[in-house]
Amino acid sequence: MDAAAAKSNTEEKKSKGTNSSKRRRFNGEADDDEAEEEEEQCDMEVWETLRKSFRQVQSVLDQNRALIQQANDNHQSRVQDNLVKNVDLIRQINAASYCAGQDR
């Protein structure tokens, strides 16, 4: 094969390769769109899960804040009965924290 024929043959192969890659890209667009939709759906599910988890965590934090405030008030009062109540309050705080850690 002479140089001109080889060059022509190479250009023809490049042209076919370009067309087939265009076809792949065209056919792949549907796949890309589906993948994007699946990814967006997954992102929405992840955000929803995070939002629910943050609500649960915030609830535990709010409960603990109230229990800690009560324990502080009891401690500052220095009344014997209130100090005894702190034992139960501290157990409740620890239990809430422990249970929250178990959900992970």
Side-chain angles (χ1 to χ4, degrees):
M1 191 184 308
D2 66 339
K7 184 178 178 183
S8 174
N9 193 15
T10 303
E11 287 175 3
E12 185 177 323
K13 285 180 183 179
K14 285 182 184 177
S15 174
K16 285 181 181 177
T18 303
N19 288 338
S20 70
S21 66
K22 282 182 184 176
R23 258 181 286 172
R24 270 187 253 126
R25 270 189 251 129
F26 179 75
N27 290 339
E29 284 179 11
D31 293 339
D32 290 343
D33 290 342
E34 289 174 12
E36 268 185 48
E37 288 176 17
E38 287 178 16
E39 188 174 322
E40 287 176 14
Q41 180 66 26
C42 182
D43 287 347
M44 290 173 60
E45 290 172 9
V46 168
W47 282 114
E48 183 64 26
T49 301
L50 283 172
R51 191 164 50 90
K52 286 179 182 178
S53 296
F54 284 136
R55 282 184 182 159
Q56 290 173 343
V57 169
Q58 188 62 53
S59 175
V60 170
L61 291 172
D62 291 342
Q63 290 170 356
N64 283 353
R65 182 183 303 117
L67 292 170
I68 291 167
Q69 184 60 50
Q70 184 63 48
N72 285 337
D73 293 344
N74 289 346
H75 182 74
Q76 288 176 353
S77 75
R78 297 191 187 267
V79 174
Q80 183 65 28
D81 287 341
N82 288 345
L83 294 174
V84 171
K85 290 178 185 177
N86 277 357
V87 174
D88 185 49
L89 290 172
I90 292 168
R91 285 185 180 143
Q92 288 179 40
I93 293 166
N94 289 335
S97 299
Y98 177 77
C99 289
Q102 293 297 310
D103 291 341
R104 285 189 246 163

